[in-house]
Amino acid sequence: MANHYKKRNEWGNSVFQELNGYTIQLKKAHDFSWLQSYGKVFAVFDQQDSGNISFGIQSGQKRYFIKYAGAETINGSNTTSEAIQQLKEAKQVYEDLHHPTLITYIEAIERPSGYALVFSWTDGENLHPHWKFPPPEKYTHPDSPFYRFKQLPFEKKRKAFIQILSFHQMVANKGYVSIDFYDGSLMYNFKTNTMTICDIDFYSKTPYVNKRGTMWGSTRFMSPEEFERGAKIDQQTMVYTMGAMAFALFGGEQDRSREKWDASETLYQASIKAVQANKRERFSTVKDFLTCWEKE
């Protein structure tokens, strides 16, 4: 395996390395030889803006998903030290919020130049595959996982959404709040009709106050308080995010008109209530919103 890690080409700010035939694009070459102790690389995810690079690894019949911080990724919006620190903080989050709908955390790995979290591999397709189906193709291409999910019968989508809501009810019960949750956090298995949440790195303990102004996340799912420095981020913030997700999966996403909605009037009114700008007009708890969907 002498040539397992080989720089193939570079120009400008990009360096290309090969890993078992997979090409990785980075700003600077990095040593990934330690991955061999886990097995053989069968997938690479190097285009995220989190500062992390992730790998699918196979060893015999076992497969792992390894998320690593320390390499200078091409789209990283933070420094490697910031990415490492965030991933270290995420370790406790995955330990605290273990749930059947969440990707299964196994262990953390300390490296001289980085840090990694190891998970069990989950089969599924990401609902925001921007690297393969950038908008508008995400919404219109017949091979897009998001498009295919939208074509599913209502009952299959409802069960998947209940998985999402049930997980976030648990998040609230554990004294956490969701941050940076969006459709890119979701993987759907079209064979088993199950949803998996694959990224909760920024979830935080409450009480939590917005110290940034514009917080991490996709603006398509963010509440008004997530743009307001000093605002309290709490369970009703999560209710808004869940309502926004309902409109993404059952409606016109940011077009929240009744015409774009493909569920019942009762669920439409519940989802409109969840995304009210005024927190006091939303449901008080994620459980209250979940109950609406369970009754349908």
Side-chain angles (χ1 to χ4, degrees):
M1 300 183 71
N3 294 321
H4 188 78
Y5 299 89
K6 178 178 65 176
K7 185 188 297 186
R8 188 179 76 169
N9 201 354
E10 69 177 277
W11 63 84
N13 292 325
S14 294
V15 172
F16 292 85
Q17 292 179 239
E18 283 189 5
L19 236 59
N20 274 6
Y22 290 88
T23 300
I24 303 174
Q25 184 181 16
L26 299 169
K27 292 180 181 177
K28 184 180 178 182
H30 196 83
D31 177 20
F32 294 106
S33 60
W34 58 274
L35 286 170
Q36 295 179 70
S37 63
Y38 268 89
K40 184 178 180 179
V41 173
F42 69 84
V44 173
F45 307 93
D46 61 352
Q47 299 296 312
Q48 280 68 34
D49 62 4
S50 62
N52 301 323
I53 182 169
S54 300
F55 304 93
I57 305 288
Q58 180 141 5
S59 177
Q61 297 301 309
K62 293 184 178 181
R63 296 201 295 174
Y64 304 97
F65 176 75
I66 298 181
K67 183 183 294 187
Y68 176 77
E72 294 188 28
T73 59
I74 194 67
N75 292 323
S77 58
N78 51 7
T79 66
T80 54
S81 60
E82 289 171 339
I84 290 170
Q85 181 58 36
Q86 179 56 48
L87 204 56
K88 286 182 176 180
E89 293 174 3
K91 173 180 179 290
Q92 189 66 51
V93 178
Y94 285 96
E95 290 178 340
D96 289 350
L97 299 181
H98 177 76
H99 188 272
T101 299
L102 181 66
I103 189 171
T104 302
Y105 167 75
I106 298 175
E107 64 178 345
I109 303 173
E110 285 270 10
R111 295 292 308 162
S113 56
Y115 187 82
L117 298 182
V118 182
F119 304 87
S120 295
W121 178 265
T122 298
D123 288 321
E125 298 180 63
N126 193 281
L127 293 191
H128 183 61
H130 58 87
W131 57 92
K132 189 174 182 181
F133 298 102
E137 285 81 5
K138 167 189 172 181
Y139 303 98
T140 60
H141 197 289
D143 293 332
S144 162
F146 185 86
Y147 176 85
R148 288 159 55 210
F149 182 85
K150 292 277 283 187
Q151 309 313 306
L152 292 175
F154 167 76
E155 187 57 26
K156 287 185 178 180
K157 292 192 292 183
R158 184 183 76 94
K159 288 181 178 178
F161 190 50
I162 286 176
Q163 282 188 260
I164 295 169
L165 292 175
S166 297
F167 171 74
H168 285 92
Q169 179 193 354
M170 184 271 292
V171 169
N173 292 343
K174 290 286 186 74
Y176 274 84
V177 66
S178 63
I179 297 172
D180 191 26
F181 178 74
Y182 70 120
D183 47 6
S185 309
L186 301 175
M187 293 180 62
Y188 190 74
N189 188 320
F190 288 90
K191 294 181 179 179
T192 62
N193 298 307
T194 54
M195 186 72 82
T196 298
I197 294 172
C198 60
D199 185 357
I200 60 168
D201 289 15
F202 284 89
Y203 284 35
S204 293
K205 280 279 194 179
T206 55
Y208 189 92
V209 174
N210 179 352
K211 298 178 180 178
R212 290 174 54 90
T214 299
M215 292 180 59
W216 303 275
S218 167
T219 57
R220 295 174 292 129
F221 298 89
M222 291 167 65
S223 66
E225 57 266 30
E226 290 176 272
F227 298 92
E228 181 186 346
R229 188 186 300 272
K232 184 179 179 182
I233 307 300
D234 55 18
Q235 186 167 179
Q236 285 182 290
T237 305
M238 257 199 306
V239 167
Y240 184 101
T241 302
M242 295 302 104
M245 183 60 74
F247 279 103
L249 301 182
F250 297 90
E253 197 169 271
Q254 291 179 293
D255 179 353
R256 295 168 180 167
S257 63
R258 183 66 179 87
E259 291 71 25
K260 296 284 186 178
W261 185 253
D262 60 4
S264 71
E265 177 67 21
T266 299
L267 292 179
Y268 177 74
Q269 293 301 330
S271 299
I272 282 290
K273 179 180 175 68
V275 295
Q276 290 299 301
N278 186 335
K279 291 173 68 173
R280 293 189 296 273
E281 297 177 6
R282 302 174 200 161
F283 292 99
S284 298
T285 67
V286 174
K287 173 60 177 174
D288 291 339
F289 188 41
L290 168 60
T291 298
C292 297
W293 287 86
E294 288 178 326
K295 286 180 177 179
E296 189 69 16

